[in-house]
Amino acid sequence: MRVVIVTESFPPDVNGVAHCALQTARHLAARGHDPLVIAPAAAGTATGAATATDSGSWSGSDSGLPYPVVRVPSLPLPGYPQVRVALPSRRVAAALTAHRADIVHLASPFVLGVRGMAAAARLGIPAVAVYQTDLAGYARTYMGTGEGTAWRRIRAVHSAADRTLAPSTAALRDLEEHGVPRVRLWARGVDTERFRPSLRDAALRRALAPGGELLVGYVGRLAPEKQVELLAGVCGLPGIRVVVVGDGPSEPSLRAALPGAVFLGRRTGDELARIFASLDVFAHTGPYETFCQTVQEAMASGVPVIAPAAGGPLDLVRHGSTGLLVEPRDATAVQAAVSALACDPGLRAVYGRAGRAAVESRTWAAVGDQLLGHYADVLRDRTAVAA
């Protein structure tokens, strides 16, 4: 099968859209299919096509990937340079034609994905759109309004697809309630070999908490929609050290809001896995997650999770079994949950083991095969309509 993945983000970007697109392309190549990726050019990345031969995760260059990548010109988003927005380019339609695509996979379509959708429609190629970003929530966070406009955009883009894939039951429900047709559930995988409890590192723990403090970690973008400032009360708890992993526009204000917290910046790969496994509690604060990959990575690392009872975490965290779900946007609830786990090492261990067991079957290979099933359904439906 010849698949073109049009994604709004791709490594070296570090976010859920980029990681999922990378894993999808990697799985297609491993299963003998023929993927091609179209993505915005990152800072310092040449546009055009790059081919690759080495399998494995992204290693710092498109030339380390076992499939071609077409980069289109892009600009950094004003005020948020970690996010790049693709510029208009004829490369999208040209790449679909040259690759002789059987199906187009649109990863979180909004700007580049819309062009991919239009090109696929003109060429008569079926398209699967993967919903991954709560644009309505972002509009509410950054502008205080505009949710209706965001949903109209989402509905227009996804209604043109042969199938929309939602990452969680909450996201699926939101899409259907806002009039998006042909929605199916497709969750995300987790690398259970990379993220594992055995990577817990005593030396790292001593470096982060020289006084033997309990380590409570957050991993993700440092941006307003993530509401990391809700950990401020946790910083004031005795015997607790907050560890923040990630970067973004909110970092300066968060350094002021979280006294005593350790900011490690962006970390990836095996280094990130070692940090996850060395935490005592993982706390996620963002209420707009359509899935929340870092929750799965914490669970795979054997770490109990605290997350808001909203969006993707509702599917991932079993309250009172693998972690605790708290009222969204409630700093007092986050602090109380941390306190409850901090004083009970036995409960932390039970939650950690249960979390690991819950995700062991959610490998990227298993999830990738489910995606292939969705592709097959779409192609079969198109064939039936044509007949």
Side-chain angles (χ1 to χ4, degrees):
M1 191 185 310
R2 304 180 69 84
V3 182
V4 172
I5 300 171
V6 182
T7 178
E8 304 291 338
S9 185
F10 199 67
D13 297 345
V14 179
N15 57 57
V17 174
H19 184 66
C20 185
L22 176 71
Q23 292 290 349
T24 297
R26 182 181 182 184
H27 184 73
L28 289 169
R31 287 289 189 261
H33 299 286
D34 192 0
L36 176 143
V37 174
I38 303 175
T45 302
T47 57
T51 57
T53 57
D54 181 33
S55 62
S57 59
W58 196 85
S59 60
S61 168
D62 289 340
S63 62
L65 301 172
Y67 42 80
V69 178
V70 173
R71 296 282 186 174
V72 302
S74 69
L75 289 175
L77 190 67
Y80 200 159
Q82 293 89 347
V83 176
R84 298 188 68 86
V85 179
L87 297 173
S89 174
R90 296 176 180 174
R91 290 193 177 109
V92 177
L96 264 63
T97 302
H99 196 64
R100 305 191 309 280
D102 297 308
I103 195 165
V104 175
H105 173 119
L106 303 162
S108 196
F110 189 64
V111 177
L112 185 59
V114 170
R115 297 177 195 131
M117 182 78 77
R122 286 196 305 271
L123 296 168
I125 304 170
V128 171
V130 178
Y131 177 72
Q132 201 158 336
T133 304
D134 183 0
L135 296 172
Y138 283 19
R140 185 163 58 248
T141 298
Y142 286 95
M143 297 181 290
T145 184
E147 293 176 67
T149 300
W151 273 114
R152 284 192 292 274
R153 173 79 166 186
I154 292 168
R155 185 166 52 249
V157 172
H158 286 268
S159 293
D162 292 76
R163 177 170 294 191
T164 287
L165 300 179
S168 63
T169 53
L172 186 147
R173 183 175 60 252
D174 282 348
L175 289 164
E176 291 185 334
E177 288 177 352
H178 286 88
V180 176
R182 300 179 296 278
V183 185
R184 302 291 186 273
L185 185 65
W186 180 57
R188 302 292 178 267
V190 63
D191 188 341
T192 54
E193 293 183 4
R194 167 165 282 169
F195 296 97
R196 61 187 192 276
S198 62
L199 293 178
R200 191 172 178 87
D201 188 325
L204 175 61
R205 288 178 54 79
R206 285 193 298 270
L208 295 174
E213 296 92 345
L214 193 85
L215 294 179
V216 177
Y218 166 85
V219 178
R221 286 198 312 278
L222 306 185
E225 73 273 8
K226 300 299 185 181
Q227 300 189 4
V228 186
E229 65 276 4
L230 294 175
L231 294 175
V234 177
C235 291
L237 294 173
I240 300 291
R241 174 62 55 83
V242 172
V243 178
V244 178
V245 180
D247 60 9
S250 295
E251 182 173 346
S253 62
L254 288 172
R255 285 184 177 273
L258 305 179
V262 178
F263 285 79
L264 297 179
R266 179 187 296 191
R267 303 296 175 95
T268 60
D270 294 340
E271 184 181 24
L272 177 61
R274 188 166 60 97
I275 294 170
F276 262 118
S278 300
L279 298 175
D280 296 296
V281 176
F282 177 76
H284 190 83
T285 50
Y288 303 123
E289 301 298 324
T290 60
F291 185 74
C292 202
Q293 183 64 18
T294 55
V295 163
Q296 275 204 142
E297 290 168 349
M299 293 169 68
S301 303
V303 178
V305 171
I306 296 169
L314 290 170
D315 284 358
L316 299 175
V317 181
R318 295 200 305 271
H319 182 73
S321 175
T322 62
L324 299 174
L325 293 169
V326 300
E327 187 69 23
R329 308 174 190 85
D330 189 333
T332 301
V334 173
Q335 182 178 341
V338 171
S339 296
L341 291 179
C343 67
D344 195 337
L347 186 61
R348 295 199 305 271
V350 169
Y351 284 1
R353 287 193 295 270
R356 172 70 188 188
V359 301
E360 281 183 322
S361 63
R362 300 180 196 166
T363 64
W364 278 108
V367 169
D369 286 343
Q370 293 169 13
L371 178 62
L372 290 172
H374 287 295
Y375 289 168
D377 289 346
V378 167
L379 291 171
R380 184 176 56 249
D381 291 346
R382 273 290 185 106
T383 302
V385 169

